[in-house]
Amino acid sequence: MSVAFAVVAALTVAGCGSDTDSNDSTASNGAQFNDADVAFAQSMIPHHEQAVEMATMAQERASSTEVKQLADKIAAAQGPEIDTMTGWLEDWGQEVSSDSMGGMDHSGGDMPGMMSDTDMESLGAATGAEFDQMFLQMMIEHHTGAIEMAQTEQQDGENPDAIGLAEKIEADQTAEIAQMEDLLGS
């Protein structure tokens, strides 16, 4: 009898001590996350999807080998990051997208660096050297926005994996901006 009572008492005490902030949550897999982590993943997924879409255009429309190689590098990095962030949101029991962007609406709401539908149409209509210049200028702006989002996650996020990815995004995209600025200057 006393063992059963001790187990019930222990479970009751364990269930009562919830002093976590209402903005903090623990997923069923034990991962800690907060609203900033969720917002980061929900925003960065469509942001990355647009970058991958731009990179795909470069394979058909760019004239510069360097631009095509950079586009390949961007798509190769951001595709797996999309999968990672999608997995986190699913593990955390959160919607995969903060709004129904679904790759169709490029406006991105208040997401920094997102291209408008008009911008994307203009890029899609360009070819050769004109495409290269537009792609580089637009991707610099896009990456700058992603860096801003990544810095916000590093400041406000709680999940160590999400913060680590934000650090990686900031480092990778800062280096890519320098590369793109060099290509624009040449």
Side-chain angles (χ1 to χ4, degrees):
M1 231 359 148
S2 64
V3 172
F5 177 76
V7 170
V8 170
L11 290 173
T12 303
V13 169
C16 292
S18 179
D19 61 352
T20 60
D21 185 317
S22 63
N23 292 332
D24 295 339
S25 299
T26 304
S28 60
N29 63 1
Q32 280 292 121
F33 64 95
N34 64 14
D35 290 346
D37 298 316
V38 173
F40 169 70
Q42 287 176 334
S43 298
M44 195 61 80
I45 289 169
H47 204 275
H48 272 21
E49 287 172 343
Q50 187 178 66
V52 170
E53 183 180 350
M54 293 166 69
T56 301
M57 284 183 201
Q59 294 314 311
E60 299 170 6
R61 302 188 165 286
S63 62
S64 162
T65 302
E66 292 89 352
V67 169
K68 288 181 179 187
Q69 289 172 342
L70 176 64
D72 279 345
K73 181 180 173 187
I74 290 168
Q78 294 191 21
E81 290 173 356
I82 291 167
D83 294 341
T84 296
M85 290 181 285
T86 299
W88 291 339
L89 291 169
E90 290 169 353
D91 289 347
W92 299 339
Q94 302 295 311
E95 292 293 322
V96 172
S97 180
S98 60
D99 55 31
S100 57
M101 293 205 40
M104 298 301 284
D105 172 21
H106 298 104
S107 63
D110 59 357
M111 273 188 280
M114 287 291 281
M115 299 297 112
S116 68
D117 286 333
T118 304
D119 293 335
M120 293 298 286
E121 289 167 12
S122 296
L123 184 63
T127 57
E130 178 189 15
F131 177 92
D132 293 350
Q133 182 169 354
M134 285 179 69
F135 174 84
L136 293 169
Q137 290 170 338
M138 291 169 80
M139 194 60 80
I140 288 169
E141 181 180 344
H142 203 269
H143 275 23
T144 301
I147 290 167
E148 183 181 321
M149 294 163 61
Q151 289 170 337
T152 299
E153 168 61 16
Q154 291 171 62
Q155 178 180 334
D156 300 337
E158 178 179 302
N159 182 274
D161 294 331
I163 293 167
L165 179 59
E167 291 168 349
K168 179 183 183 309
I169 288 169
E170 182 179 9
D172 291 352
Q173 294 195 17
T174 298
E176 288 169 356
I177 287 172
Q179 182 182 358
M180 289 185 280
E181 288 172 342
D182 287 347
L183 289 172
L184 277 172
S186 60

